[in-house]
Amino acid sequence: MLIRQRIVRQTLLVLYFLLSYDGVQGEIKLSKLEDLEMEKQLKLLNKPAVKTIKTKYGDTYDCVDFYKQPAFDHPLLRNRNFHPKMKPTLARTLQNSNTSAANKSLNIWLKENGCPFGTVPIKRVTKDDLIRQRHIPPPEGFAFESTLSNINNNSEPTKSYMSSRGYKLATVQIPYDPNNKFAGAGMSATLWNPHIESQQHTACRLKIQKGSDILQAGWRVDPTLYRDTKTRSFIHFQAGNTHCFNTLCPGFVIVNSKFPVDVSFDTIQQRGDKKVWEITLFIERDLANGNWWLLYDVNNEQIGFWPQEIFTKLTSFANNVEWGGVAYSSPSVSEPPMGSSCFPVGDPAYDAYCRRLNVLNDKGQTVHIDKTNVRVTDPNHYGIMDEPHWRGAKYQHMVFYGGPGGFETLC
């Protein structure tokens, strides 16, 4: 009991420093007590390494024993029957013939080829990381607020969520229905690297939700989270009042020893390139036990899962799915660019996009999306074009999105 109380107390301290936000950046002076608490947090976050490896971008990853990874610090995940050879029971059959960047990103390692089997790559956290991440903004904080007409000429308006202050969205969403039952969703999205400054971030994401429980995955440029402005993969979960990126707090169980959840992508799209660089990803519910799995690439590379035990709403099916771009800036900072940093023109060689939008129904069957609602919270700075049947293709739902934000761009 004492051990459990101590871990819970340490976890709360980690969350306090990671999630508190005061909107102020610059030099941070720590008291002796704060410095001591941060040292304790680093010991909690940085698990003993079986091996330490580096990427060619200078990131340090510790190869942590599967059973000692941060996920198992969650009080609800102790003594669970998880193991490194876990395989999901999924019905995923959708295939994608275009080039994906996921396999290329496996070449990030400087001298190695990922971690040994039985271990998982966890990015090492420094004290500077903890100080910087104190300024991670709170979640978007959606609430029912307005109605939007369906762009596909449906006559009835559909309720939608509106974003909280600081967040700008250019997304499409399945028409809201509390009786929806989705066992997952997927997309392919081009990789871009918008110019981002301090107190800003920009991302492309797949979002699955039921009530206050949310799962997200995609790519992100976020100097507050990552200390650099590289385009990196990210995952995020929200369970009630708790939210967390990547492995910064317990929750996501990694099973893949080669592919970090916060990997920096090798190849980035440039405007006008005829060859596109994509990441393909899926979030799917294991119909056998309710765990939510993250899969990358057309080969369904299994990265890990969020156990259903950590949720209250997503213990069953999701009822809301969303795809597209999101950008954030603090109130004192101009709006950041999104996607290609230009308003979309409907050309895959010039626009950021999400394509082949699909969901799984409650039987695990792939359903291609025809009807969606468009959401642009700041049309002066961002735009979106929704094409349910791109160039007449039956299963090619394309969403072009992006914009310059408050910056001048040559588009």
Side-chain angles (χ1 to χ4, degrees), residues 40 42 67 121 178 186 202 218 244 335:
K40 292 180 180 178
L42 291 175
Y67 297 101
T202 191
C244 187
E335 295 84 356

Side-chain angles (χ1 to χ4, degrees), residues 36-109:
L36 180 62
E37 293 297 343
M38 281 196 173
E39 291 293 341
K40 292 180 180 178
Q41 293 165 43
L42 291 175
K43 290 181 180 179
L44 179 66
L45 290 168
N46 293 321
K47 305 298 183 180
V50 174
K51 183 179 182 179
T52 297
I53 53 179
K54 289 190 175 183
T55 71
K56 54 189 174 184
Y57 304 110
D59 300 321
T60 299
Y61 285 87
D62 291 324
C63 299
V64 176
D65 184 284
F66 172 86
Y67 297 101
K68 296 179 181 179
Q69 63 177 293
F72 299 129
D73 286 340
H74 197 294
L76 297 177
L77 299 183
R78 294 193 186 90
N79 303 318
R80 308 305 296 179
N81 188 26
F82 299 144
H83 55 83
K85 291 185 178 182
M86 287 187 67
K87 302 291 182 182
T89 303
L90 301 176
R92 168 61 57 183
T93 58
L94 180 70
Q95 292 298 312
N96 184 330
S97 60
N98 205 13
T99 301
S100 172
N103 279 336
K104 283 186 168 291
S105 294
L106 295 178
N107 299 322
I108 61 168
W109 306 112

Side-chain angles (χ1 to χ4, degrees), residues 21 165-168 199-201 327-331 333-336:
Y21 175 73
R165 183 180 181 184
Y167 287 91
K168 309 295 182 182
Q199 301 184 67
Q200 296 177 334
H201 70 247
Y328 173 86
S329 60
S330 66
V333 178
S334 180
E335 295 84 356

Side-chain angles (χ1 to χ4, degrees), residues 152 172 354-357 368-372 386-390 393-399:
N152 297 319
V172 298
C354 306
R355 73 182 187 99
R356 298 195 75 169
L357 311 186
H368 296 270
I369 304 303
D370 290 322
K371 297 180 180 180
T372 46
D386 192 10
E387 300 287 345
H389 301 284
W390 171 245
K394 185 177 181 181
Y395 300 131
Q396 183 62 285
H397 193 145
M398 295 279 289
V399 174

Side-chain angles (χ1 to χ4, degrees), residues 171-207:
T171 61
V172 298
Q173 180 184 33
I174 292 181
Y176 180 76
D177 183 343
N179 296 316
N180 286 338
K181 291 184 178 181
F182 300 124
M187 71 174 185
S188 295
T190 41
L191 297 163
W192 294 82
N193 185 246
H195 175 75
I196 299 299
E197 298 181 350
S198 177
Q199 301 184 67
Q200 296 177 334
H201 70 247
T202 191
C204 172
R205 55 110 184 271
L206 163 65
K207 178 180 178 181

